[in-house]
Amino acid sequence: MDLLPSSHTEFSSASYWDSFFKKRGEKAFEWYGEYPELCGILHKYIKPQEQVLVVGCGNSRLSEDLHDLGYIGLTNIDISDVVVRQMAERNAEKRPDMKFLQMDVMKMDFPDSSFSAVLDKGTLDALMPDDLQETQVKVTQMFEEVGRVLKVGGRYMIITLAQEHILRKLMQYFPQEGWVTRVHKVSDSDREAADRDMPMPVFVFVFTKFKKMPQMITNKILEVSLDGTDTMQRLPSEDDVIKAVKERQHYAMLRQQLQKRGLEGESVSLELFSTSSSSSVPKYVLHVVDTGTVRAADRQFAVFIIPQGREVEWLFGTNAGRRQLAGSAGFRRLVVVALQREHQYETMAEVQKELSGKVMELAPPGFNRKIQVPFLSVGDDLGTRTLCYEGTSALSGPYIVEDVDGDSGVVMRNLIFLSNRNAVQSQARMVQETLPKKKGRRRAGKRLVVDYGYLACQYHRAMVAGLGCVLNVRQLLDSRLDVLLVGLGGGSLTMFLHKHFPKIQMEVVELDQSILQAAEGWFGFKQDERIKVHITDGLGYLEDRAKQDSSRHVVILDVDSKDVTTGMTFPPRPFVEKKCLENIRAILHDDGVLILNLVCRNETLQASVVENIRAAFPRILSKRMEDEINEVLFCFPREKDVHQSGDAGRVGEVTVEELRNFKETVGVVEEMAKSCTNRWDDTLELTELLDGLKIA
């Protein structure tokens, strides 16, 4: 039996609805849920003694259910004469005081201020199948009529799927009229939707009429309760309401997909917000990872809680890392949960309790819900995150410095720009330093200081190894090695070179004054006669230096791009274009080397960048870092292999002889560095970093 219109515009046609209800008969048609799902919200806003208008009543049992619970002032209207007669006959004996009238909601016959509440269950959705101008005019006419027949203080309750065009229309109209806005998600509506073809959750929008006053328009009241509880959350703007509703819809659709099929290599992430917080930052970010491996019944599903502050690590902060984590954990599906720095978390048990209901909704297809879902983590607690400093850069926006507990109790200090909150701009390992004992104190004090002998980034370690690319590096490290570094960061690489190579002279170029301040204030960076920082544009500085009679043995480019749309994070495009590369070539000794940190996710762009570099630097060696997205390029001004061995024109693997020669000189670099410290990091094996070296 055909019960759907041939065109969605027929939804507003009386003839369509007459035909619909003739075909359907007296069987109730419940658009958006049964009375038990809705009554918890309806009873908050409608009193039994009030006069209530139900628009577009159809043959739904909603009015009958309300009447049977004592709501006796019910008037029902519908554009279809057929359904009005059906409903009047159906209720004539049992509910003789309930009114059914044939009437167009866009042109009602009631006097002004006749009702305390107007109830709309799906009528708006039927009248607004699109956002064409003609439809907009009709809906506005409907809203004006509802406003006319409602008393001041009356409530207009709309039960809707809140498709985007409808959502925007509601938010454009009623707040501007000075009406109070409240949005509820119908409890469990999206859970049931997961079992239907239509996964959209159902919402109840409640607009309370006030006299139109300037202060009601300026100070809008916009509240939502989208977690199925009674708690209302005040939002600052209509756009925030739209965003909150759309996020709930997105979550419902995602959950349906996750319950019905595997991810098959896709990456799915979703955010959970706290209703007890006004923060615009989610309390939890969930990453769902499927391994695609058949597992035993008790290895189907697990949740992994990332300790606070460690969400930026490769294992937890990248898709590849999380896939590795899921494979190691040995479950078919792993939900990886990141805790956000803007929120407070009490204990692991409290976090598990708060998440239990939600993560169960993300279980894989066919999961036996009688099996207890294990919660995994690193250690037994949530970890510790200590905010050290908050600042703002004129170039990059707000940033923070925070200390985070790592493995084995090691404290790591991170510099993070909140515009890219899951990426660490700089990182340093902290160690306890004993202070001189003061007179009158029984014990000497301690403080956390930066460990200059530790490099947190693998690509920084490769850059240090790159010093071995310089011809006669032993003699230069014994006399003078000139290094120009573009991009300071927290200063970890600079301070490592300064500490371990006493004859290195460094110039550092940094565009952002706030970066220098953070490095000096929180990462132990210091300028002296061997380190000079220039706060200026790197491109301009390289151009000026190229015009002068000065040469450098090493130029290091470690500068990030603020333009995230290009697909290349390091360096900005102008640094790998012809003019800049020629300037760098002019600055370098013939036997020097350009060491460049390249992060590019676009393979075509990456190939183009390498070709640009090759035009100025005929010989390029490449080292892709494991567990990082960085690739370090060692670029030579002359067309030769490292230290004059092998052929110059090949692309592919480095020859055994080349690699052996390179490792010998890097071994010299490592030996000289070790001689300058009594505490060498045992994990720093410079020669091993050359494994996997390729010719670009």
Side-chain angles (χ1 to χ4, degrees), residues 166-180:
I166 292 174
L167 179 58
R168 293 193 179 279
K169 178 67 175 180
L170 291 171
M171 289 300 100
Q172 289 166 2
Y173 186 86
F174 289 102
Q176 294 302 318
E177 293 295 309
W179 293 35
V180 172

Side-chain angles (χ1 to χ4, degrees), residues 376-437:
L376 315 174
S377 189
V378 179
D380 298 326
D381 58 27
L382 295 172
T384 303
R385 186 203 312 262
T386 303
L387 180 64
C388 302
Y389 182 73
E390 294 180 276
T392 300
S393 159
L395 297 174
S396 303
Y399 67 89
I400 60 168
V401 178
E402 63 181 14
D403 287 347
V404 174
D405 286 352
D407 290 331
S408 304
V410 174
V411 177
M412 305 300 293
R413 179 161 291 175
N414 298 330
L415 172 63
I416 297 174
F417 282 94
L418 298 183
S419 58
N420 190 6
R421 56 191 303 111
N422 289 324
V424 175
Q425 207 278 346
S426 295
Q427 187 176 64
R429 184 170 72 179
M430 310 301 290
V431 293
Q432 291 277 0
E433 179 184 74
T434 301
L435 299 172
K437 186 177 178 181

Side-chain angles (χ1 to χ4, degrees), residues 585-601:
R585 173 65 186 85
I587 291 169
L588 275 172
H589 283 289
D590 287 343
D591 295 322
V593 62
L594 164 64
I595 304 175
L596 184 150
N597 174 27
L598 178 64
V599 179
C600 185
R601 294 174 174 82

Side-chain angles (χ1 to χ4, degrees), residues 600-621:
C600 185
R601 294 174 174 82
N602 184 316
E603 292 183 2
T604 303
L605 175 59
Q606 182 174 3
S608 172
V609 166
V610 171
E611 285 305 309
N612 285 351
I613 296 173
R614 187 176 285 115
F617 295 86
R619 182 70 170 169
I620 306 171
L621 299 182

